[in-house]
């Protein structure tokens, strides 16, 4: 799934994603999409493409520009994201789907996934990717994906630390600790996503079904106007599960975000011009069926 700052105008339903919040940093979020497309090469020309976790359609738009003769569709689990994508690209078919059960149409050459599989639990992630890969025709299909690999980055570690600190949010996060203790949640005891597997795990899982597997990590460095801009960046992605766990009324979310920002101020020193540098590693995997 799914990203220059403005005030978001489109409000997503409670518990859903905000397309406009995500798109505040569109150019920066598009860089890995462009890099993944570029890796496929100037002579690659798929006929049928599915944009998995298409978000608000920013990745779909780049795919359509690069492959104008291809049949392109997009799927996402967020109704708000799908609605935004349809409004932006009315000539492309978008639909709601859960990647854990979704099956692409036969003959899909390229399964393209921009920042979506990191949202699956570790037990589901590689099995889902493998199942989708196996729907493609041998010798023809390509599955190309990228995922943020920032579980241990200061921006995301600070979310877990803030959630563990005492505050009005404590009762709302307590159930995640209980889920973690019982083995039904992730190990952090928070609503955070699970860390990614190693490159070797991806290679070993996919290589038996492929002609080749390529994987690499790129560490992007984004220059942002200040610590509040880091908050706004992750408010559209990684911070969402934490905010959704808290009540919208009563100031609990605001208090939690303030605690989170205080921790960011300790983690990210200001540059000489008052900006901050947000380092953002992303894992790329391209499997050639």
């Amino acid at each position: 799934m799914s990203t220059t700052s403005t005030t978001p105008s489109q409000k997503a339903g409670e518990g859903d994603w905000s397309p406009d919040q995500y798109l505040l940093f569109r150019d920066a979020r598009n860089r890995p999409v462009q890099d993944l497309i570029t890796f496929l090469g100037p002579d690659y020309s798929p006929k049928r493409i599915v944009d998995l976790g298409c978000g608000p359609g920013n990745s779909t738009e780049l795919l359509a520009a690069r492959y104008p003769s291809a049949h392109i569709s997009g799927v996402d689990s967020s109704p708000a994201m799908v609605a935004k994508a349809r409004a932006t690209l009315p000539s492309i078919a978008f639909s709601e789907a859960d990647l854990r059960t979704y099956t692409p149409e036969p003959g899909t050459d390229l399964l393209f996934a921009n920042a979506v599989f990191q949202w699956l639990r570790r037990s589901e992630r590689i099995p889902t990717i493998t199942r989708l890969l196996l729907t493609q025709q041998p010798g023809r299909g390509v599955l190309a994906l990228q995922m943020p690999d920032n579980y241990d980055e200061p921006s995301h570690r600070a979310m877990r630390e803030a959630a563990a600190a005492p505050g009005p949010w404590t009762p709302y996060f307590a159930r995640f600790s209980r889920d973690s203790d019982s083995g039904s949640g992730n190990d952090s005891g928070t609503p955070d996503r699970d860390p990614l597997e190693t490159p070797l795990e991806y290679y070993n899982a996919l290589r038996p079904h492929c002609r080749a597997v390529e994987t690499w990590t790129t560490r992007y460095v984004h220059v942002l106007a200040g610590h509040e801009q880091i908050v706004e960046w992750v408010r559209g992605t990684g911070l969402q599960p934490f905010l959704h766990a808290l009540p919208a009324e009563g100031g609990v979310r605001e208090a939690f975000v303030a605690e989170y920002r205080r921790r960011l101020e300790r983690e990210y020193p200001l540059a000489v011009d008052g900006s901050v540098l947000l380092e953002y590693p992303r894992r790329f995997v391209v499997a050639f069926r």
Side-chain angles (χ1 to χ4, degrees), residues 86-109:
R86 286 171 175 164
T88 303
L89 301 166
S91 64
I92 292 178
F94 293 97
S95 58
E96 294 176 34
D98 184 334
L99 293 187
R100 294 169 297 184
T101 57
Y102 169 74
T103 299
E105 293 184 25
T108 299
D109 301 301

Side-chain angles (χ1 to χ4, degrees), residues 15 29 61 68 88 94 112 119 125 168 179 182 187 197 203 208 220 222 224 238 247 253 256 258 260 263:
R29 294 194 193 278
E61 189 172 22
T88 303
F94 293 97
F112 192 91
W119 293 112
R125 192 181 294 133
D179 289 345
S182 67
D187 292 337
E197 301 81 0
Y203 188 90
Y220 296 86
H222 302 294
L224 303 180
R253 288 184 181 178
F256 175 72
Y260 173 58
R263 292 172 183 274

Side-chain angles (χ1 to χ4, degrees), residues 181-197:
D181 292 341
S182 67
S184 60
N186 76 23
D187 292 337
S188 71
T190 70
D192 198 13
R193 63 178 184 260
D194 296 334
L196 298 187
E197 301 81 0

Side-chain angles (χ1 to χ4, degrees), residues 52-73:
L52 303 170
C54 61
N58 57 303
S59 52
T60 320
E61 189 172 22
L62 293 175
L63 287 166
R66 175 63 184 85
Y67 306 112
S69 62
H71 178 278
I72 302 176
S73 59

Side-chain angles (χ1 to χ4, degrees), residues 18 45-47 66 97 119 122 136 161 202 233 242:
S18 169
S45 56
K47 293 181 174 59
R66 175 63 184 85
W119 293 112
R122 189 180 179 92
Q136 295 185 287
E161 292 174 350
Y202 283 94
W233 178 294
F242 291 85

Side-chain angles (χ1 to χ4, degrees), residues 128-149:
T128 298
I129 292 171
T130 303
R131 181 187 64 79
L132 287 165
L133 174 70
L134 291 175
T135 66
Q136 295 185 287
Q137 182 177 335
R140 178 177 172 182
V142 175
L143 190 153
L145 65 91
Q146 73 83 13
M147 301 171 286
D149 189 12

Side-chain angles (χ1 to χ4, degrees), residues 108-129:
T108 299
D109 301 301
L110 174 60
L111 291 171
F112 192 91
N114 173 52
V116 61
F117 286 114
Q118 77 275 8
W119 293 112
L120 297 185
R121 288 301 187 193
R122 189 180 179 92
S123 61
E124 302 170 318
R125 192 181 294 133
I126 288 181
T128 298
I129 292 171

